[in-house]
Amino acid sequence: MIDLKKLAEAGSIEEALLDKVDLARLPVHIAVIMDGNGRWAKGRNLPRVEGHRAGIASVRETVETAARLELGALTLYAFSVENWKRPRYEVATLMMLLKEYLRKELATLMTNNIRFAPIGRIEGLDPSVQRELRYAEKETAGNTGLVFQIALNYGGRAEIIDTVNRIMTILHDKEMSDCVIDEDFFSNHLYTANVKDPDLLVRTSGELRVSNFLLWQIAYAEIHVTKVLWPDFRRRHLYEAIIDYQARDRRYGAVDQDDAGMFIEADEQHA
Ligand code: IPE
Ligand code: IPE
Ligand code: MG
């Protein structure tokens, strides 16, 4: 049962927004491109890394809120395969902050029944980072609530290529080279094989691009872009994203039920 008291303080802006959220029609999976840390810091005359440090509070609040809303999955984009192009000091600080977050938050992940799952080319990260990630993954493996995926050294194209290679190895090992691959089979071999495709993709800081995130999985995701910079992102912004999502008409290429009637009549006249 969703505990509303844990989702908003009485009389707050959050409570007013939460009131507008239809709890029976929540997205199952929300994916977030956490962007704008650098600009947040620049606006305060601080070094970029201070933006990353401040962004941790947003991560914490978003993860806890997603768990309390009893969503199925939350995927946060934390480090792309392209982010290695950044200054060495910035990359090192990001990795250090990640390790710190995992160490500090493991207990909270356990209390909230959250299963932690890193996705991306994890083997390309520093061994000390890999160790922390694997430890958190192992400790939370038995949890049955929210699946919290964090995308690290992640690229959508890299994932597709890794999947193709993985499938080739399987087919080769099983001597099944004449087998036909369909979408379900392909999806089941992506990094995200265990979770449903995102219903809602959120990007902070106003940028209108997907930056190589979950390219296969977002085929029919609803997109919500907010100008809010990631370190300023709070629970209420997540509620705003969900309210926006719930106002969308998801057609998946078909037509609305109401409009479909008109077409059926036209089809009958045609016949
Ligand atoms: C997002 O914030 C964090 C990562 C990509 C790791 P940025 O660091 O991209 O912030 P901006 O886009 O420069 O403001
Ligand atoms: C996307 O943000 C990657 C992450 C949030 C980890 P970037 O800031 O790296 O993306 P671009 O450069 O604006 O496309
Ligand atoms: Mg950015």
Side-chain angles (χ1 to χ4, degrees):
M1 266 290 275
I2 297 178
D3 183 348
L4 292 175
K5 276 195 222 93
K6 284 190 170 167
L7 286 162
E9 268 175 47
S12 63
I13 301 174
E14 287 169 2
E15 194 185 41
L17 282 167
L18 190 59
D19 234 25
K20 293 190 190 159
V21 172
D22 179 353
L23 296 173
R25 270 190 331 114
L26 290 171
V28 174
H29 180 181
I30 300 182
V32 185
I33 303 176
M34 309 184 285
D35 199 15
N37 295 355
R39 275 162 284 170
W40 183 92
K42 200 172 167 199
R44 286 167 177 72
N45 277 321
L46 294 168
R48 290 181 54 82
V49 291
E50 291 310 315
H52 300 318
R53 200 184 305 281
I56 293 183
S58 313
V59 171
R60 198 176 294 130
E61 190 159 321
T62 304
V63 172
E64 281 196 37
T65 308
R68 288 172 182 175
L69 283 170
E70 300 183 353
L71 302 188
L74 174 75
T75 304
L76 301 183
Y77 199 7
F79 193 84
S80 73
V81 287
E82 286 84 16
N83 286 147
W84 296 107
K85 294 176 199 159
R86 295 186 178 205
R88 253 221 328 244
Y89 174 68
E90 182 174 342
V91 173
T93 308
L94 276 167
M95 296 301 157
M96 191 268 293
L97 289 169
L98 170 68
K99 287 194 278 186
E100 212 177 276
Y101 168 83
L102 288 173
R103 252 175 262 146
K104 280 196 190 149
E105 288 306 298
L106 187 56
T108 317
L109 298 182
M110 294 306 290
T111 330
N112 289 301
N113 194 23
I114 297 169
R115 183 155 67 80
F116 175 75
I119 57 167
R121 290 183 170 162
I122 303 304
E123 67 287 356
L125 298 169
D126 186 84
S128 69
V129 178
Q130 291 188 45
R131 259 198 309 279
E132 294 290 343
L133 290 169
R134 294 298 172 215
Y135 183 68
E137 189 175 23
K138 208 172 96 222
E139 288 294 302
T140 62
N143 291 345
T144 54
L146 179 80
V147 178
F148 166 32
Q149 302 188 119
I150 187 155
L152 289 160
N153 196 17
Y154 176 89
R157 288 184 174 183
E159 178 176 23
I160 290 169
I161 293 296
D162 288 354
T163 302
V164 169
N165 283 315
R166 204 181 292 176
I167 291 175
M168 286 210 315
T169 310
I170 294 170
L171 298 187
H172 179 263
D173 291 351
K174 291 191 177 162
E175 293 177 11
M176 288 166 56
S177 53
D178 57 347
C179 146
V180 176
I181 293 161
D182 62 13
E183 290 189 10
D184 279 344
F185 186 85
F186 194 82
S187 292
N188 289 334
H189 290 83
L190 289 165
Y191 304 151
T192 55
N194 298 319
V195 300
K196 191 180 168 286
D197 288 344
D199 302 292
L200 170 61
L201 172 69
V202 176
R203 182 163 188 153
T204 58
S205 88
E207 304 292 356
L208 297 171
R209 53 177 174 266
V210 291
S211 300
N212 203 8
F213 190 39
L214 301 175
L215 296 181
W216 171 279
Q217 297 89 332
I218 60 170
Y220 269 104
E222 295 298 328
I223 302 175
H224 172 85
V225 175
T226 170
K227 288 223 161 66
V228 173
L229 303 174
W230 179 251
D232 293 324
F233 192 87
R234 287 294 172 272
R235 230 159 32 172
R236 62 180 180 281
H237 302 113
L238 191 66
Y239 298 158
E240 281 169 3
I242 295 173
I243 293 164
D244 183 18
Y245 162 83
Q246 290 183 332
R248 306 285 176 87
D249 182 13
R250 302 187 81 188
R251 289 191 291 273
Y252 299 97
V255 291
D256 287 336
Q257 283 297 324
D258 295 350
D259 298 338
M262 281 162 46
F263 284 107
I264 291 165
E265 278 162 31
D267 284 350
E268 278 166 0
Q269 273 170 18
H270 239 50

